Amino acid sequence: MNFFKVLLFGLCVIITLFPELVVCRTRHYTFNIEYLNVTRLCHTRTILSVNGKFPGPRLVAREGDTVLVKVVNHISNNVTIHWHGIRQKTTGWSDGPAYITQCPIQTNQTYTYNFTITGQRGTLFWHAHISWLRATLYGPIIILPKHNESYPFQKPYKEIPILLGEWFNVDPEAVINQALQTGGGPNVSDAYTINGLPGPFYNCSSKDTFKLKVKPNKTYLLRIINAALNEELFFSIANHTLTVVEADARYIKPFNTDTILITPGQTTNVLLKTKSYSPNNTFLMIARPYITGRGTFDNSTPAGFLQYKQHNSSTKNLPFLTPTLPSLNDTNFVSNFTKKFKNLANSKFPINVPKKIDKSFFFTVGLGTNPCPKNTTCQGPNNNTKFAASVNNFSFVLPSVSIMQAYYFGKSNGVYKTDFPETPLNPFNYTGTPPNNTMVNNDTKLVVLKFNTSVELVLQDTNILGAESHPLHLHGYDFFVVGQGFGNYDPNKDPAKFNLVDPVERNTVGVPAGGWVAIRFFADNPGVWFMHCHLDIHTSWGLRMAWLVLDGSESNQKLQPPPSDLPKC
């Protein structure tokens, strides 16, 4: 008996230390939210971290596994964690957006997130989902195929997460608090980072450079994640072609490119085939922002080194080769690049695109204004106003309690309304001359859907305060991107061009600057699901809304009861 106890204890130790190596159905993690002193750009500041790591630790599981993550809050901020892209089928209590599916975890409190990974494999990521805490609270989610199942592409020699982020020399909470108080745009970040390191193009950062050391004639899988707060990013490696094989944990038809574009919230897996010999060069991997708006932005360049392992010589003094990236506002490249994403859609990985639509929605997204409070001065775009953002001209107001708890316990009165407009209340030429009135409405409105409703949603950018790209993220769902274009969406002509054969399936999609995108999905996941721009400043200004999907008739089509340790407001 004692032998079995020792064996069981040993297995538990292995599971704790090496969860990715163990064959099991349940993965246990503990995330301690704690302070960490970090120095970048010769500035040392105290950041928020998980388990004292920046970026945070990897969460590794296989498709079909159940994951339990005990989050312990050791900091003074309230906090939540969102498992970005995880479907959370009937487990919406573990989704994580503050005041949508849960109250935040308060100081010295704990909450265990419990979810099962179903029908997903590839790369996602986790991050804080309250205010701007995700600036440093983020890390990769690596979903391996089931045992005895292989990738639908060449098995890589090695797999490396590449996390793109933003670094602020000051507390990002101070940045957003100042912006919301003054009504103006926020101060921009001081650097971008690759795996937490800015690279050699910044002052005082030559040692803080990510180095990827590779062997000749090998295939590497790069799991690229854009965890930046407010910028879409180009990424490229000098003199190397990338083969894109997956997007948002969904396999796609492989295609080659020298440069990728990745919005905040998106993940992209690429294969990197190294050269057949060890060249006498160091190859720069760099990122650069893709800019469509008129506001200020961090116009700097993070870089890392791709170095071949030399047999006989040092790599220290090898000459650098630099990639050529698109211009900052190259919308043509972005449009052509995004159209290359096609679902793998084969017999092993079939897709089910909604053909018959039950509910059609048309949402405008963009910036606007709110009036400046009396007896104060604001730094918004015009006439002493404050910046705002909206969906169908409604700027979403977060309540002080959890919306899903209010729904589940029948206490929605005064918390939210269910009359979110299906189309704009005041149609106009969305991409033409902007209207004189830029004011938005402020409210907490939801769309209610019956279980398994087939939905088509067209997201239209507006030119009210300048056309701008908006990466929209839908919680709890993957959706099919069936169409996109520039200008105003034409319901009479554009649907004829929709791709209903092999459209890419994503959880985050860029609404083109001065254009539109059409998505489809089945509302087969009960609960309250947040949808918002993944540029955090736009979310803070109100470019967000939520869907309430009702229970289905079967037991596995109902929102599970809330867990006993669900945080209280």
Side-chain angles (χ1 to χ4, degrees):
M1 187 68 177
N2 288 338
F3 169 78
F4 287 108
K5 285 185 177 179
V6 171
L7 181 62
L8 185 61
F9 176 78
L11 287 172
C12 289
V13 169
I14 292 173
I15 289 170
T16 303
L17 295 178
F18 305 103
E20 66 269 33
L21 301 180
V22 179
V23 180
C24 63
R25 290 285 301 173
T26 302
R27 313 259 179 167
H28 293 269
Y29 288 85
T30 299
F31 276 20
N32 289 294
I33 313 294
E34 54 195 22
Y35 295 111
L36 176 70
N37 288 332
V38 173
T39 301
R40 297 288 185 270
L41 315 180
C42 280
H43 287 258
T44 300
R45 73 174 182 87
T46 301
I47 70 168
L48 307 182
S49 73
V50 169
N51 300 345
K53 295 183 177 181
F54 171 68
R58 302 179 187 184
L59 190 157
V60 183
R62 289 193 181 275
E63 179 192 349
D65 284 352
T66 294
V67 178
L68 277 74
V69 187
K70 181 181 179 181
V71 176
V72 188
N73 186 5
H74 299 284
I75 62 175
S76 59
N77 306 72
N78 290 343
V79 72
T80 71
I81 302 293
H82 171 49
W83 317 96
H84 183 110
I86 296 290
R87 283 291 317 269
Q88 298 290 358
K89 209 72 179 287
T90 74
T91 56
W93 306 108
S94 289
D95 192 41
Y99 304 108
I100 304 297
T101 59
Q102 69 166 97
C103 299
I105 307 166
Q106 299 177 31
T107 306
N108 296 324
Q109 300 295 308
T110 68
Y111 179 47
T112 298
Y113 294 88
N114 183 345
F115 53 88
T116 299
I117 299 171
T118 305
Q120 294 177 288
R121 61 211 70 80
T123 303
L124 298 170
F125 75 119
W126 59 262
H127 61 78
H129 210 303
I130 182 170
S131 191
W132 279 21
L133 299 193
R134 76 176 184 89
T136 58
L137 286 174
Y138 64 87
I141 298 176
I142 296 171
I143 307 173
L144 302 172
K146 292 178 181 178
H147 275 292
N148 302 319
E149 289 196 3
S150 58
Y151 296 122
F153 45 80
Q154 180 182 353
K155 184 179 179 180
Y157 170 72
K158 200 171 182 181
E159 303 181 11
I160 300 101
I162 304 287
L163 290 92
L164 308 176
E166 283 183 272
W167 173 262
F168 293 79
N169 284 334
V170 299
D171 182 3
E173 288 301 279
V175 173
I176 181 55
N177 289 339
Q178 180 188 36
L180 294 178
Q181 184 175 356
T182 64
N187 293 332
V188 301
S189 55
D190 294 283
Y192 300 104
T193 57
I194 299 176
N195 288 349
L197 302 170
F201 297 150
Y202 295 95
N203 290 334
C204 193
S205 291
S206 59
K207 292 182 179 178
D208 292 329
T209 301
F210 172 67
K211 298 179 179 67
L212 175 57
K213 296 189 176 180
V214 298
K215 294 181 178 179
N217 207 30
K218 300 288 185 183
T219 298
Y220 292 79
L221 179 67
L222 306 185
R223 299 176 175 269
I224 305 173
I225 298 165
N226 187 347
L229 282 184
N230 290 312
E231 301 298 351
E232 304 181 70
L233 295 167
F234 296 113
F235 176 84
S236 183
I237 301 176
N239 286 38
H240 287 74
T241 298
L242 304 175
T243 303
V244 183
V245 293
E246 178 254 310
D248 291 2
R250 295 287 182 177
Y251 294 136
I252 66 166
K253 290 181 172 68
F255 68 89
N256 294 334
T257 183
D258 295 330
T259 301
I260 71 164
L261 182 279
I262 184 166
T263 76
Q266 286 185 339
T267 55
T268 306
N269 280 4
V270 302
L271 296 178
L272 170 70
K273 184 75 164 63
T274 58
K275 299 182 184 302
S276 58
Y277 60 96
S278 290
N280 291 319
N281 299 99
T282 290
F283 301 90
L284 282 173
M285 61 174 75
I286 64 174
R288 171 191 285 170
Y290 166 56
I291 300 299
T292 56
R294 298 187 299 183
T296 56
F297 62 95
D298 179 355
N299 188 14
S300 63
T301 304
F305 296 153
L306 177 75
Q307 297 176 330
Y308 282 76
K309 294 180 180 178
Q310 305 288 321
H311 296 295
N312 302 317
S313 61
S314 169
T315 60
K316 286 184 178 179
N317 300 314
L318 295 178
F320 294 108
L321 292 179
T322 305
T324 301
L325 282 97
S327 61
L328 289 169
N329 60 352
D330 193 339
T331 56
N332 286 330
F333 172 88
V334 171
S335 176
N336 291 331
F337 176 75
T338 55
K339 288 175 182 176
K340 292 178 181 178
F341 285 78
K342 302 289 178 66
N343 208 300
L344 194 56
N346 60 19
S347 57
K348 188 173 182 181
F349 301 101
I351 61 173
N352 182 23
V353 185
K355 304 291 200 307
K356 177 182 174 294
I357 300 301
D358 299 323
K359 293 285 290 185
S360 295
F361 298 90
F362 182 82
F363 289 177
T364 56
V365 295
L367 304 187
T369 57
N370 269 321
C372 190
K374 289 183 179 179
N375 302 319
T376 60
T377 302
C378 295
Q379 300 171 8
N382 50 54
N383 297 326
N384 201 23
T385 59
K386 302 181 79 165
F387 270 110
S390 66
V391 183
N392 274 355
N393 208 45
F394 276 94
S395 187
F396 190 87
V397 179
L398 283 178
S400 57
V401 298
S402 159
I403 290 177
M404 197 156 77
Q405 278 179 272
Y407 156 68
Y408 189 85
F409 293 109
K411 297 180 179 179
S412 61
N413 192 30
V415 178
Y416 64 85
K417 302 170 185 173
T418 57
D419 59 346
F420 189 90
E422 298 182 5
T423 57
L425 298 179
N426 299 298
F428 63 99
N429 183 359
Y430 306 114
T431 56
T433 303
N436 293 327
N437 182 8
T438 62
M439 293 293 177
V440 302
N441 300 300
N442 300 277
D443 214 331
T444 309
K445 293 177 179 286
L446 278 60
V447 171
V448 180
L449 294 172
K450 291 181 180 179
F451 184 84
N452 216 31
T453 299
S454 56
V455 176
E456 179 178 282
L457 169 62
V458 175
L459 296 157
Q460 172 74 57
D461 183 38
T462 60
N463 194 31
I464 294 175
L465 290 177
E468 190 166 357
S469 177
H470 298 281
L472 263 290
H473 172 49
L474 175 59
H475 289 229
Y477 288 89
D478 288 330
F479 49 76
F480 295 100
V481 183
V482 296
Q484 66 177 38
F486 290 108
N488 294 332
Y489 172 73
D490 187 333
N492 297 315
K493 295 180 180 179
D494 289 324
K497 296 176 279 187
F498 283 179
N499 175 12
L500 304 179
V501 177
D502 57 358
V504 68
E505 208 170 352
R506 305 206 74 132
N507 63 61
T508 305
V509 66
V511 181
W516 56 271
V517 65
I519 67 174
R520 291 185 177 187
F521 63 96
F522 289 103
D524 59 358
N525 194 4
V528 178
W529 303 108
F530 206 26
M531 189 176 81
H532 61 97
C533 184
H534 224 277
L535 304 180
D536 271 26
I537 184 56
H538 291 175
T539 297
S540 299
W541 283 337
L543 208 166
R544 52 197 181 189
M545 55 82 66
W547 306 78
L548 169 54
V549 179
L550 303 176
D551 284 347
S553 58
E554 305 294 327
S555 58
N556 64 347
Q557 298 172 346
K558 299 181 187 301
L559 177 64
Q560 297 176 19
S564 58
D565 62 341
L566 189 69
K568 295 178 173 60
C569 286

